[in-house]
Amino acid sequence: MSSNQDNQEQYRSGPPQGENYVGEAADEEAAPDEAALEFEAPVQWRMAKSLETLRAHINSMAPSRSKVSDGGIGDPAHASRKSDHNPWVDLQNNKGVVTARDFTHDPTGGCDAGVLAEQIRASRDPRVKYIIWNRRIANSSPIGSTAAWEWRPYGGANPHNHHVHISVQPERGKYDSEEPWNVQSLTS
């Protein structure tokens, strides 16, 4: 599926496989104040426009990059826990917005996830909620004694060493902003 802005897939009955799909072994990284989803009816979903803008930019900079670990919507196991890969934002008319996306680490294909993570972190883009890459997480707000935008250890089950995870803020003006991202290079 090349774009899922108009996606009408039903989350509960099984999200699509492929570059928009995050499998069971993926993220467990949501903020502590988010509740796990309990869907009573199938939920239609779409990806946050800001993340689709970022994906298009990355794909234009590295058109032959691998997408094997790319993902957006979580699998049904994600629905039982807190994750920005769930369509939990803006559930009007039973259609949610997914506010997280993963991008495959493929330096030989032109996309070094570490370079991407660092550029987004250094830009302090106000759309970003947090970034996870290679056993580290950087939040856009302070967490405990760690200042905003500083890396700290990430101990989730998935070390995020095959992809970088980007979550965006749950406010519509941020998650649906189509402003260009400040990513100048994907290689070191």
Side-chain angles (χ1 to χ4, degrees):
M1 203 176 297
S2 62
S3 173
N4 50 344
Q5 287 182 353
D6 297 317
N7 193 327
Q8 298 297 305
E9 296 295 326
Q10 293 184 346
Y11 185 63
R12 181 175 236 182
S13 64
Q17 298 290 330
E19 80 176 72
N20 291 320
Y21 181 73
V22 176
E24 187 172 343
D27 309 321
E28 298 177 10
E29 73 289 326
D33 60 334
E34 295 170 16
L37 293 176
E38 292 292 329
F39 296 122
E40 294 182 15
V43 174
Q44 295 178 340
W45 63 276
R46 69 174 177 85
M47 184 61 56
K49 291 177 184 177
S50 62
L51 293 170
E52 286 296 276
T53 299
L54 178 59
R55 184 176 67 89
H57 183 61
I58 291 168
N59 288 345
S60 72
M61 294 177 73
S64 42
R65 73 180 181 90
S66 171
K67 297 175 181 76
V68 69
S69 293
D70 278 19
I73 186 76
D75 67 356
H78 273 79
S80 67
R81 66 178 185 265
K82 298 179 256 182
S83 175
D84 289 343
H85 287 292
N86 289 326
W88 64 276
V89 173
D90 197 19
L91 286 171
Q92 297 174 354
N93 301 316
N94 209 33
K95 184 170 185 176
V97 178
V98 175
T99 58
R101 195 158 223 340
D102 299 334
F103 299 98
T104 303
H105 177 57
D106 180 21
T108 59
C111 184
D112 185 316
V115 171
L116 175 60
E118 189 55 34
Q119 284 189 52
I120 292 174
R121 186 191 71 83
S123 75
R124 297 179 178 235
D125 191 303
R127 294 173 287 192
V128 174
K129 182 177 175 185
Y130 59 90
I131 305 161
I132 304 173
W133 164 244
N134 202 17
R135 297 179 174 85
R136 298 183 305 163
I137 184 170
N139 290 71
S140 61
S141 57
I143 302 292
S145 62
T146 305
W149 299 107
E150 294 298 316
W151 289 112
R152 62 185 170 89
Y154 174 71
N158 183 328
H160 292 76
N161 56 355
H162 297 288
H163 65 266
V164 60
H165 171 99
I166 310 293
S167 279
V168 292
Q169 300 286 351
E171 294 83 22
R172 182 184 302 267
K174 293 182 180 178
Y175 69 73
D176 273 348
S177 168
E178 296 180 77
E179 290 295 315
W181 288 77
N182 188 16
V183 175
Q184 305 304 316
S185 174
L186 297 173
T187 59
S188 53

